[in-house]
Every structure is written in structure tokens, then in C-alpha cells.
Amino acid sequence: MSKPNGKRYRLETVRRSYVEAVGGEKVEFEVGPEDAPAVFSFPHPIFTPDDMQRDLNSAQGDEAGARILLGDQYDDFVAAGGDVNSVMLLYVGIRNEAQDRVQKVRPTKG
């Protein structure tokens, strides 16, 4: 129920506005030939769980970061020809882009 003066937010609505602003809660990417790529994903940087974010912050190098981001997908990613440096560059690029987009979001109260 909304507060009469309109100063109360619904967290589900706030989250949805950020999901829409950044294009979803997951980042999907392809590896391999264009006619049959393998598809992988990791949580969008602004939706990364706290424990994963702590692990990423303490990761030593791109391989460790990619292992954290991809979890169970990591071995398949490497087998498909995935490059750990590239996946970390993607993560950093998406994170930087999201910072710009998130600053422009004005959460709705509804």
C-alpha cells in the first residue's frame, strides 16, 4: 500500500526499473563460430551477489575472475575456445556502462 505523501518506494518496482535500464539481470555472450556459438552468462555487475562480489574483489588475475563469474560454466567456456581475458574485459565494460545508466535511473514509487 502506498503512503499518502508518496515518499514510500516498493523495492520490487525499484529493482525492475534498474533491470530495465541495464537490459536484464544477466549478461549473455557467445563464444565460437557464428553459425553455432556456445552461449554463456554471468550476473549483471549491478546484480552480482555480495559473496561473488567479494570473491571478485579478491581474485588474483583474469582466470580467477572468470572462474568466479562463470562458475560451473567455466570448463565448457574454455573448451569452446573462450578467452578469460576477454570475459573479464566484457565484465568491466558492462560494469562501467551500467554506472552511467544507473545514474540516470529515477526509481518510481509505484
Side-chain angles (χ1 to χ4, degrees), residues 23-42:
E25 293 184 46
K26 287 190 171 198
V27 174
E28 288 189 344
F29 62 97
E30 299 176 347
V31 175
E34 285 188 36
D35 60 337
V39 178
F40 300 96
S41 66
F42 54 79

Side-chain angles (χ1 to χ4, degrees), residues 33-110:
E34 285 188 36
D35 60 337
V39 178
F40 300 96
S41 66
F42 54 79
H44 192 285
I46 69 168
F47 299 110
T48 303
D50 288 345
D51 58 337
M52 182 182 275
Q53 190 61 56
R54 279 190 296 275
D55 291 345
L56 283 169
N57 290 341
S58 64
Q60 299 282 322
D62 290 342
E63 180 181 349
R67 283 182 181 277
I68 293 164
L69 282 175
L70 298 174
D72 294 341
Q73 304 171 89
Y74 182 79
D75 290 335
D76 292 337
F77 169 74
V78 172
D83 170 52
V84 296
N85 181 257
S86 295
V87 79
M88 294 312 295
L89 288 172
L90 175 62
Y91 179 80
V92 169
I94 297 288
R95 185 184 63 205
N96 292 343
E97 180 182 286
Q99 289 172 347
D100 293 337
R101 287 185 180 181
V102 165
Q103 290 177 359
K104 296 174 185 170
V105 172
R106 300 291 175 248
T108 58
K109 294 177 179 89

